[in-house]
Amino acid sequence: MILTLPPSAGPADYLAACTSLGSPPGGRLLLVGEDPAIRRALREHGFALGAAAADVIVGLPGCDRADIRRALTANPRSDVVHAAVREPFVGVVALHKSGTNLVAALMRALGYTVSGEGTGPSPYPGGLWEKNEADYLPTLGPGSAYLVHSLPMPTVGGPLQYPRPLFSLWCENDFPVIYHYRDPRAVILSLIRYLLKQNVSGGFTGLPFHTMYARVLRSLPTGERRLTHAIDNLDSYLTWSFRDNAWLLDHPDVLTTSYETLVGARGGGGDHERDLAVAQLMVTLGISGDPADMAQRAYDPLARTFSQGRAYGWVDEFSEEHLLRFRRRHSDILERYGYPERGR
């Protein structure tokens, strides 16, 4: 359970919160941050402070939420009490075919209104989000999450000299950004199935790339040939997705998530890993609630682009030759994102 207190919370508030989470006097607390009055009050009521295996992680007023997340990683089954204000706006970079619907559903479960790439057509003529992003972003009110498939770092004199509007907004304002990705081999396979209309909606958006590459895929006689062609010819697609956004992995204010972690047991992952990832997200955004409950509401096999939704389903489709081809061309992506050469 994640319990958020107002920034003005004092000793009595923390005592009540720790007790409400089922940690009686004598319970084990791990305190993050410094507040002598709250620390003294908890100790006087019999709580064991600084416990290695904590029942509750207590984020004291003014502490860094990143420190709470680190404590939660070391104590993944602990409840959390901390003082925070709910973040009014969230930027989400969810790589194409990496589970945009999963992330969008999770953000909705957390109480945000979600829009952007992968959530439906833009309300502007042409239906392209990036084209009208500068006009659209100022219309978003508190409680909004805006999704993009790519947020490259602009470079002076390079091909990406001008940032997209979300990047400029982030530079001017302090809001959390989530970076969500998936094993690139699963992305390739998901893209193939999507363009062959093997999903719930039975179709795909009519972008030029989708339309033309779907024709190429349909012209190939077997699934093995299609996968080989995609591995050999989608360098620019994988660069646009993974390489151009890898800088986000190093940004100290970006929270990273992956499809393999968020999908849970129903999608071939693990529920404990999923719940921890959602708890980290809730701490970052200042949201109270049960991470397991939030996560269970996010996995939606009826989503428009849903095909199979298995975290490691690609392993059964990749032959030894496919694995070798992918390593030869894209080993840098596997290494950068921490994916093993053979999957799990």
Side-chain angles (χ1 to χ4, degrees):
M1 178 64 70
I2 310 296
L3 187 56
T4 302
L5 302 177
S8 60
D13 301 302
Y14 275 88
L15 282 169
C18 291
T19 302
S20 72
L21 289 174
S23 182
R28 299 168 299 178
L29 306 182
L30 177 60
L31 272 57
V32 179
E34 290 296 331
D35 189 301
I38 295 175
R39 182 180 292 271
R40 182 170 55 253
L42 293 172
R43 183 183 295 110
E44 289 175 351
H45 281 75
F47 288 102
L49 308 186
D55 299 313
V56 181
I57 297 169
V58 181
L60 299 175
C63 74
D64 191 333
R65 295 185 197 182
D67 291 335
I68 300 177
R69 293 199 300 267
R70 282 189 283 270
L72 191 54
T73 299
N75 298 268
R77 298 182 184 276
S78 298
D79 294 319
V80 176
V81 171
H82 71 126
V85 175
R86 179 188 177 92
E87 294 289 349
F89 179 80
V90 185
V92 182
V93 183
L95 297 188
H96 191 244
K97 306 311 299 174
S98 290
T100 302
N101 285 307
L102 176 65
V103 177
L106 178 57
M107 296 307 296
R108 292 188 187 101
L110 295 175
Y112 286 90
T113 300
V114 181
S115 60
E117 293 172 341
T119 66
S122 165
Y124 293 88
L128 298 178
W129 287 98
E130 185 173 1
K131 182 178 180 181
N132 301 105
E133 194 168 281
D135 296 324
Y136 181 73
L137 286 175
T139 71
L140 296 177
S144 297
Y146 184 73
L147 277 70
V148 298
H149 284 320
S150 185
L151 194 66
M153 171 76 80
T155 54
V156 176
L160 300 172
Q161 297 186 49
Y162 303 103
R164 67 181 299 169
L166 180 63
F167 186 97
S168 299
L169 183 66
W170 188 19
C171 291
E172 299 165 0
N173 299 271
D174 184 20
F175 56 80
V177 171
I178 301 163
Y179 181 35
H180 178 79
Y181 52 85
R182 186 181 189 180
D183 191 305
R185 293 159 293 193
V187 167
I188 288 288
L189 189 60
S190 179
L191 177 65
I192 292 172
R193 288 171 174 162
Y194 175 63
L195 295 181
L196 293 176
K197 302 182 181 181
Q198 297 173 357
N199 53 61
V200 169
S201 70
F204 56 79
T205 54
L207 297 176
F209 164 66
H210 290 165
T211 301
M212 298 307 293
Y213 198 60
R215 294 178 184 175
V216 172
L217 292 174
R218 286 196 297 268
S219 73
L220 299 173
T222 65
E224 181 178 343
R225 288 278 301 278
R226 295 181 188 116
L227 185 52
T228 297
H229 191 280
I231 292 171
D232 289 347
N233 291 277
L234 291 184
D235 290 48
S236 59
Y237 173 77
L238 291 174
T239 292
W240 167 72
S241 286
F242 290 90
R243 296 184 179 98
D244 285 354
N245 292 283
W247 70 276
L248 292 166
L249 297 171
D250 301 320
H251 197 292
D253 299 328
V254 172
L255 179 65
T256 59
T257 64
S258 70
Y259 184 87
E260 292 80 13
T261 300
L262 287 185
V263 76
R266 286 188 294 174
D271 285 347
H272 291 309
E273 294 84 355
R274 176 204 64 189
D275 295 348
L276 174 59
V278 174
Q280 302 271 21
L281 179 58
M282 293 171 67
V283 166
T284 299
L285 301 181
I287 294 174
S288 296
D290 181 0
D293 178 61
M294 299 293 185
Q296 289 169 6
R297 291 153 56 185
Y299 185 74
D300 182 12
L302 298 179
R304 181 180 64 86
T305 59
F306 188 92
S307 175
Q308 295 186 8
R310 305 295 295 178
Y312 301 97
W314 66 269
V315 174
D316 298 327
E317 304 291 334
F318 270 63
S319 66
E320 288 295 327
E321 180 184 352
H322 290 136
L323 289 171
L324 180 59
R325 280 178 178 271
F326 197 94
R327 287 200 300 271
R328 285 174 175 171
R329 301 186 71 95
H330 311 297
S331 61
D332 62 307
I333 296 177
L334 296 177
E335 293 172 6
R336 188 72 173 89
Y337 285 81
Y339 284 108
E341 290 187 353
R342 305 189 67 83
R344 305 185 74 161

PDB file of all heavy atoms in Angstrom, residues 118-147:
ATOM      1  N   GLY A 118      -0.718   6.786 -30.075  1.00  0.00           N
ATOM      2  CA  GLY A 118      -1.088   5.434 -29.677  1.00  0.00           C
ATOM      3  C   GLY A 118      -2.372   5.352 -28.891  1.00  0.00           C
ATOM      4  O   GLY A 118      -2.818   4.249 -28.550  1.00  0.00           O
ATOM      5  N   THR A 119      -2.992   6.499 -28.596  1.00  0.00           N
ATOM      6  CA  THR A 119      -4.236   6.494 -27.823  1.00  0.00           C
ATOM      7  C   THR A 119      -5.453   6.775 -28.691  1.00  0.00           C
ATOM      8  O   THR A 119      -6.571   6.787 -28.192  1.00  0.00           O
ATOM      9  CB  THR A 119      -4.187   7.548 -26.704  1.00  0.00           C
ATOM     10  OG1 THR A 119      -4.156   8.869 -27.284  1.00  0.00           O
ATOM     11  CG2 THR A 119      -2.951   7.365 -25.841  1.00  0.00           C
ATOM     12  N   GLY A 120      -5.248   7.000 -29.981  1.00  0.00           N
ATOM     13  CA  GLY A 120      -6.331   7.361 -30.887  1.00  0.00           C
ATOM     14  C   GLY A 120      -5.896   8.529 -31.750  1.00  0.00           C
ATOM     15  O   GLY A 120      -4.836   9.124 -31.533  1.00  0.00           O
ATOM     16  N   PRO A 121      -6.697   8.889 -32.747  1.00  0.00           N
ATOM     17  CA  PRO A 121      -6.310   9.984 -33.643  1.00  0.00           C
ATOM     18  C   PRO A 121      -6.317  11.333 -32.942  1.00  0.00           C
ATOM     19  O   PRO A 121      -7.079  11.569 -32.008  1.00  0.00           O
ATOM     20  CB  PRO A 121      -7.364   9.926 -34.747  1.00  0.00           C
ATOM     21  CG  PRO A 121      -8.548   9.277 -34.104  1.00  0.00           C
ATOM     22  CD  PRO A 121      -7.981   8.293 -33.126  1.00  0.00           C
ATOM     23  N   SER A 122      -5.462  12.218 -33.403  1.00  0.00           N
ATOM     24  CA  SER A 122      -5.432  13.587 -32.896  1.00  0.00           C
ATOM     25  C   SER A 122      -6.737  14.295 -33.252  1.00  0.00           C
ATOM     26  O   SER A 122      -7.329  14.030 -34.301  1.00  0.00           O
ATOM     27  CB  SER A 122      -4.244  14.337 -33.507  1.00  0.00           C
ATOM     28  OG  SER A 122      -4.377  15.731 -33.323  1.00  0.00           O
ATOM     29  N   PRO A 123      -7.206  15.197 -32.391  1.00  0.00           N
ATOM     30  CA  PRO A 123      -8.435  15.933 -32.713  1.00  0.00           C
ATOM     31  C   PRO A 123      -8.249  16.972 -33.811  1.00  0.00           C
ATOM     32  O   PRO A 123      -9.224  17.591 -34.241  1.00  0.00           O
ATOM     33  CB  PRO A 123      -8.791  16.603 -31.379  1.00  0.00           C
ATOM     34  CG  PRO A 123      -7.487  16.752 -30.665  1.00  0.00           C
ATOM     35  CD  PRO A 123      -6.689  15.544 -31.059  1.00  0.00           C
ATOM     36  N   TYR A 124      -7.021  17.143 -34.278  1.00  0.00           N
ATOM     37  CA  TYR A 124      -6.752  18.133 -35.315  1.00  0.00           C
ATOM     38  C   TYR A 124      -6.818  17.487 -36.700  1.00  0.00           C
ATOM     39  O   TYR A 124      -6.677  16.268 -36.836  1.00  0.00           O
ATOM     40  CB  TYR A 124      -5.379  18.769 -35.098  1.00  0.00           C
ATOM     41  CG  TYR A 124      -5.302  19.615 -33.853  1.00  0.00           C
ATOM     42  CD1 TYR A 124      -4.970  19.047 -32.626  1.00  0.00           C
ATOM     43  CD2 TYR A 124      -5.577  20.978 -33.892  1.00  0.00           C
ATOM     44  CE1 TYR A 124      -4.906  19.817 -31.475  1.00  0.00           C
ATOM     45  CE2 TYR A 124      -5.517  21.756 -32.750  1.00  0.00           C
ATOM     46  CZ  TYR A 124      -5.180  21.172 -31.543  1.00  0.00           C
ATOM     47  OH  TYR A 124      -5.122  21.934 -30.403  1.00  0.00           O
ATOM     48  N   PRO A 125      -7.022  18.279 -37.745  1.00  0.00           N
ATOM     49  CA  PRO A 125      -7.066  17.730 -39.106  1.00  0.00           C
ATOM     50  C   PRO A 125      -5.804  16.936 -39.431  1.00  0.00           C
ATOM     51  O   PRO A 125      -4.695  17.358 -39.126  1.00  0.00           O
ATOM     52  CB  PRO A 125      -7.177  18.989 -39.981  1.00  0.00           C
ATOM     53  CG  PRO A 125      -7.828  20.007 -39.100  1.00  0.00           C
ATOM     54  CD  PRO A 125      -7.291  19.733 -37.723  1.00  0.00           C
ATOM     55  N   GLY A 126      -5.992  15.782 -40.015  1.00  0.00           N
ATOM     56  CA  GLY A 126      -4.872  14.919 -40.356  1.00  0.00           C
ATOM     57  C   GLY A 126      -4.610  13.840 -39.332  1.00  0.00           C
ATOM     58  O   GLY A 126      -4.024  12.809 -39.643  1.00  0.00           O
ATOM     59  N   GLY A 127      -5.041  14.058 -38.096  1.00  0.00           N
ATOM     60  CA  GLY A 127      -4.951  13.034 -37.071  1.00  0.00           C
ATOM     61  C   GLY A 127      -3.566  12.755 -36.528  1.00  0.00           C
ATOM     62  O   GLY A 127      -3.378  11.795 -35.789  1.00  0.00           O
ATOM     63  N   LEU A 128      -2.556  13.586 -36.872  1.00  0.00           N
ATOM     64  CA  LEU A 128      -1.191  13.345 -36.411  1.00  0.00           C
ATOM     65  C   LEU A 128      -0.902  14.205 -35.185  1.00  0.00           C
ATOM     66  O   LEU A 128      -1.012  15.430 -35.234  1.00  0.00           O
ATOM     67  CB  LEU A 128      -0.187  13.651 -37.522  1.00  0.00           C
ATOM     68  CG  LEU A 128      -0.309  12.787 -38.780  1.00  0.00           C
ATOM     69  CD1 LEU A 128       0.715  13.221 -39.816  1.00  0.00           C
ATOM     70  CD2 LEU A 128      -0.129  11.312 -38.445  1.00  0.00           C
ATOM     71  N   TRP A 129      -0.492  13.571 -34.103  1.00  0.00           N
ATOM     72  CA  TRP A 129      -0.288  14.288 -32.848  1.00  0.00           C
ATOM     73  C   TRP A 129       0.883  15.258 -32.916  1.00  0.00           C
ATOM     74  O   TRP A 129       0.779  16.401 -32.485  1.00  0.00           O
ATOM     75  CB  TRP A 129      -0.070  13.282 -31.716  1.00  0.00           C
ATOM     76  CG  TRP A 129      -1.313  12.569 -31.321  1.00  0.00           C
ATOM     77  CD1 TRP A 129      -1.718  11.327 -31.730  1.00  0.00           C
ATOM     78  CD2 TRP A 129      -2.348  13.059 -30.463  1.00  0.00           C
ATOM     79  NE1 TRP A 129      -2.930  11.015 -31.171  1.00  0.00           N
ATOM     80  CE2 TRP A 129      -3.340  12.058 -30.380  1.00  0.00           C
ATOM     81  CE3 TRP A 129      -2.535  14.237 -29.749  1.00  0.00           C
ATOM     82  CZ2 TRP A 129      -4.488  12.190 -29.618  1.00  0.00           C
ATOM     83  CZ3 TRP A 129      -3.679  14.387 -28.982  1.00  0.00           C
ATOM     84  CH2 TRP A 129      -4.641  13.369 -28.919  1.00  0.00           C
ATOM     85  N   GLU A 130       2.019  14.814 -33.438  1.00  0.00           N
ATOM     86  CA  GLU A 130       3.211  15.664 -33.403  1.00  0.00           C
ATOM     87  C   GLU A 130       3.017  16.947 -34.207  1.00  0.00           C
ATOM     88  O   GLU A 130       3.503  18.012 -33.826  1.00  0.00           O
ATOM     89  CB  GLU A 130       4.424  14.897 -33.931  1.00  0.00           C
ATOM     90  CG  GLU A 130       5.720  15.690 -33.818  1.00  0.00           C
ATOM     91  CD  GLU A 130       6.945  14.869 -34.173  1.00  0.00           C
ATOM     92  OE1 GLU A 130       6.797  13.681 -34.526  1.00  0.00           O
ATOM     93  OE2 GLU A 130       8.057  15.414 -34.093  1.00  0.00           O
ATOM     94  N   LYS A 131       2.291  16.856 -35.305  1.00  0.00           N
ATOM     95  CA  LYS A 131       2.097  18.022 -36.169  1.00  0.00           C
ATOM     96  C   LYS A 131       1.412  19.162 -35.422  1.00  0.00           C
ATOM     97  O   LYS A 131       1.701  20.341 -35.661  1.00  0.00           O
ATOM     98  CB  LYS A 131       1.284  17.619 -37.401  1.00  0.00           C
ATOM     99  CG  LYS A 131       1.064  18.748 -38.388  1.00  0.00           C
ATOM    100  CD  LYS A 131       0.294  18.259 -39.601  1.00  0.00           C
ATOM    101  CE  LYS A 131       0.062  19.391 -40.591  1.00  0.00           C
ATOM    102  NZ  LYS A 131      -0.712  18.926 -41.776  1.00  0.00           N
ATOM    103  N   ASN A 132       0.497  18.839 -34.521  1.00  0.00           N
ATOM    104  CA  ASN A 132      -0.274  19.864 -33.809  1.00  0.00           C
ATOM    105  C   ASN A 132       0.015  19.886 -32.310  1.00  0.00           C
ATOM    106  O   ASN A 132      -0.752  20.452 -31.533  1.00  0.00           O
ATOM    107  CB  ASN A 132      -1.773  19.640 -34.037  1.00  0.00           C
ATOM    108  CG  ASN A 132      -2.163  19.683 -35.502  1.00  0.00           C
ATOM    109  OD1 ASN A 132      -2.423  18.653 -36.107  1.00  0.00           O
ATOM    110  ND2 ASN A 132      -2.167  20.872 -36.074  1.00  0.00           N
ATOM    111  N   GLU A 133       1.133  19.285 -31.922  1.00  0.00           N
ATOM    112  CA  GLU A 133       1.448  19.157 -30.502  1.00  0.00           C
ATOM    113  C   GLU A 133       1.594  20.509 -29.812  1.00  0.00           C
ATOM    114  O   GLU A 133       1.154  20.688 -28.664  1.00  0.00           O
ATOM    115  CB  GLU A 133       2.733  18.346 -30.349  1.00  0.00           C
ATOM    116  CG  GLU A 133       3.003  17.842 -28.948  1.00  0.00           C
ATOM    117  CD  GLU A 133       4.128  16.817 -28.967  1.00  0.00           C
ATOM    118  OE1 GLU A 133       3.856  15.653 -29.318  1.00  0.00           O
ATOM    119  OE2 GLU A 133       5.279  17.194 -28.650  1.00  0.00           O
ATOM    120  N   ALA A 134       2.195  21.474 -30.492  1.00  0.00           N
ATOM    121  CA  ALA A 134       2.407  22.791 -29.889  1.00  0.00           C
ATOM    122  C   ALA A 134       1.084  23.469 -29.551  1.00  0.00           C
ATOM    123  O   ALA A 134       0.990  24.210 -28.566  1.00  0.00           O
ATOM    124  CB  ALA A 134       3.225  23.676 -30.825  1.00  0.00           C
ATOM    125  N   ASP A 135       0.057  23.228 -30.354  1.00  0.00           N
ATOM    126  CA  ASP A 135      -1.259  23.805 -30.079  1.00  0.00           C
ATOM    127  C   ASP A 135      -2.025  23.000 -29.035  1.00  0.00           C
ATOM    128  O   ASP A 135      -2.820  23.556 -28.271  1.00  0.00           O
ATOM    129  CB  ASP A 135      -2.089  23.874 -31.367  1.00  0.00           C
ATOM    130  CG  ASP A 135      -1.484  24.813 -32.397  1.00  0.00           C
ATOM    131  OD1 ASP A 135      -0.917  25.846 -31.986  1.00  0.00           O
ATOM    132  OD2 ASP A 135      -1.562  24.501 -33.595  1.00  0.00           O
ATOM    133  N   TYR A 136      -1.787  21.691 -29.009  1.00  0.00           N
ATOM    134  CA  TYR A 136      -2.580  20.823 -28.145  1.00  0.00           C
ATOM    135  C   TYR A 136      -2.125  20.850 -26.688  1.00  0.00           C
ATOM    136  O   TYR A 136      -2.959  20.894 -25.767  1.00  0.00           O
ATOM    137  CB  TYR A 136      -2.528  19.387 -28.668  1.00  0.00           C
ATOM    138  CG  TYR A 136      -3.339  18.413 -27.853  1.00  0.00           C
ATOM    139  CD1 TYR A 136      -4.729  18.413 -27.916  1.00  0.00           C
ATOM    140  CD2 TYR A 136      -2.719  17.497 -27.003  1.00  0.00           C
ATOM    141  CE1 TYR A 136      -5.484  17.522 -27.163  1.00  0.00           C
ATOM    142  CE2 TYR A 136      -3.462  16.603 -26.250  1.00  0.00           C
ATOM    143  CZ  TYR A 136      -4.847  16.617 -26.335  1.00  0.00           C
ATOM    144  OH  TYR A 136      -5.585  15.745 -25.580  1.00  0.00           O
ATOM    145  N   LEU A 137      -0.826  20.835 -26.442  1.00  0.00           N
ATOM    146  CA  LEU A 137      -0.326  20.735 -25.071  1.00  0.00           C
ATOM    147  C   LEU A 137      -0.868  21.834 -24.151  1.00  0.00           C
ATOM    148  O   LEU A 137      -1.222  21.548 -22.997  1.00  0.00           O
ATOM    149  CB  LEU A 137       1.206  20.736 -25.066  1.00  0.00           C
ATOM    150  CG  LEU A 137       1.876  19.446 -25.546  1.00  0.00           C
ATOM    151  CD1 LEU A 137       3.386  19.622 -25.617  1.00  0.00           C
ATOM    152  CD2 LEU A 137       1.526  18.280 -24.628  1.00  0.00           C
ATOM    153  N   PRO A 138      -0.958  23.093 -24.596  1.00  0.00           N
ATOM    154  CA  PRO A 138      -1.488  24.131 -23.690  1.00  0.00           C
ATOM    155  C   PRO A 138      -2.947  23.927 -23.303  1.00  0.00           C
ATOM    156  O   PRO A 138      -3.415  24.539 -22.344  1.00  0.00           O
ATOM    157  CB  PRO A 138      -1.313  25.427 -24.499  1.00  0.00           C
ATOM    158  CG  PRO A 138      -0.223  25.133 -25.469  1.00  0.00           C
ATOM    159  CD  PRO A 138      -0.422  23.694 -25.828  1.00  0.00           C
ATOM    160  N   THR A 139      -3.668  23.072 -24.025  1.00  0.00           N
ATOM    161  CA  THR A 139      -5.080  22.847 -23.698  1.00  0.00           C
ATOM    162  C   THR A 139      -5.267  21.819 -22.592  1.00  0.00           C
ATOM    163  O   THR A 139      -6.382  21.660 -22.082  1.00  0.00           O
ATOM    164  CB  THR A 139      -5.856  22.371 -24.943  1.00  0.00           C
ATOM    165  OG1 THR A 139      -5.471  21.023 -25.278  1.00  0.00           O
ATOM    166  CG2 THR A 139      -5.598  23.285 -26.129  1.00  0.00           C
ATOM    167  N   LEU A 140      -4.205  21.118 -22.215  1.00  0.00           N
ATOM    168  CA  LEU A 140      -4.327  20.054 -21.223  1.00  0.00           C
ATOM    169  C   LEU A 140      -4.403  20.641 -19.819  1.00  0.00           C
ATOM    170  O   LEU A 140      -3.594  21.479 -19.434  1.00  0.00           O
ATOM    171  CB  LEU A 140      -3.140  19.097 -21.322  1.00  0.00           C
ATOM    172  CG  LEU A 140      -3.024  18.321 -22.638  1.00  0.00           C
ATOM    173  CD1 LEU A 140      -1.770  17.462 -22.634  1.00  0.00           C
ATOM    174  CD2 LEU A 140      -4.257  17.466 -22.866  1.00  0.00           C
ATOM    175  N   GLY A 141      -5.361  20.168 -19.053  1.00  0.00           N
ATOM    176  CA  GLY A 141      -5.527  20.635 -17.688  1.00  0.00           C
ATOM    177  C   GLY A 141      -4.843  19.722 -16.692  1.00  0.00           C
ATOM    178  O   GLY A 141      -4.218  18.718 -17.058  1.00  0.00           O
ATOM    179  N   PRO A 142      -4.944  20.047 -15.401  1.00  0.00           N
ATOM    180  CA  PRO A 142      -4.366  19.192 -14.360  1.00  0.00           C
ATOM    181  C   PRO A 142      -4.939  17.776 -14.425  1.00  0.00           C
ATOM    182  O   PRO A 142      -6.112  17.581 -14.744  1.00  0.00           O
ATOM    183  CB  PRO A 142      -4.782  19.897 -13.066  1.00  0.00           C
ATOM    184  CG  PRO A 142      -5.016  21.315 -13.462  1.00  0.00           C
ATOM    185  CD  PRO A 142      -5.576  21.260 -14.850  1.00  0.00           C
ATOM    186  N   GLY A 143      -4.088  16.812 -14.139  1.00  0.00           N
ATOM    187  CA  GLY A 143      -4.521  15.422 -14.192  1.00  0.00           C
ATOM    188  C   GLY A 143      -4.375  14.803 -15.561  1.00  0.00           C
ATOM    189  O   GLY A 143      -5.040  13.812 -15.867  1.00  0.00           O
ATOM    190  N   SER A 144      -3.486  15.358 -16.395  1.00  0.00           N
ATOM    191  CA  SER A 144      -3.303  14.866 -17.759  1.00  0.00           C
ATOM    192  C   SER A 144      -1.990  14.104 -17.898  1.00  0.00           C
ATOM    193  O   SER A 144      -0.984  14.457 -17.287  1.00  0.00           O
ATOM    194  CB  SER A 144      -3.309  16.027 -18.761  1.00  0.00           C
ATOM    195  OG  SER A 144      -4.554  16.694 -18.764  1.00  0.00           O
ATOM    196  N   ALA A 145      -2.023  13.071 -18.725  1.00  0.00           N
ATOM    197  CA  ALA A 145      -0.818  12.352 -19.132  1.00  0.00           C
ATOM    198  C   ALA A 145      -0.772  12.369 -20.649  1.00  0.00           C
ATOM    199  O   ALA A 145      -1.750  12.004 -21.304  1.00  0.00           O
ATOM    200  CB  ALA A 145      -0.827  10.921 -18.613  1.00  0.00           C
ATOM    201  N   TYR A 146       0.355  12.797 -21.200  1.00  0.00           N
ATOM    202  CA  TYR A 146       0.494  12.908 -22.655  1.00  0.00           C
ATOM    203  C   TYR A 146       1.560  11.931 -23.130  1.00  0.00           C
ATOM    204  O   TYR A 146       2.681  11.919 -22.611  1.00  0.00           O
ATOM    205  CB  TYR A 146       0.871  14.336 -23.045  1.00  0.00           C
ATOM    206  CG  TYR A 146       0.942  14.544 -24.539  1.00  0.00           C
ATOM    207  CD1 TYR A 146      -0.215  14.601 -25.308  1.00  0.00           C
ATOM    208  CD2 TYR A 146       2.171  14.674 -25.180  1.00  0.00           C
ATOM    209  CE1 TYR A 146      -0.154  14.781 -26.682  1.00  0.00           C
ATOM    210  CE2 TYR A 146       2.243  14.858 -26.552  1.00  0.00           C
ATOM    211  CZ  TYR A 146       1.076  14.910 -27.297  1.00  0.00           C
ATOM    212  OH  TYR A 146       1.145  15.081 -28.664  1.00  0.00           O
ATOM    213  N   LEU A 147       1.211  11.095 -24.123  1.00  0.00           N
ATOM    214  CA  LEU A 147       2.089  10.034 -24.599  1.00  0.00           C
ATOM    215  C   LEU A 147       2.687  10.373 -25.961  1.00  0.00           C
ATOM    216  O   LEU A 147       1.997  10.899 -26.839  1.00  0.00           O
ATOM    217  CB  LEU A 147       1.320   8.714 -24.731  1.00  0.00           C
ATOM    218  CG  LEU A 147       1.134   7.873 -23.467  1.00  0.00           C
ATOM    219  CD1 LEU A 147       0.168   8.546 -22.505  1.00  0.00           C
ATOM    220  CD2 LEU A 147       0.630   6.481 -23.823  1.00  0.00           C
TER     221      LEU A 147
END
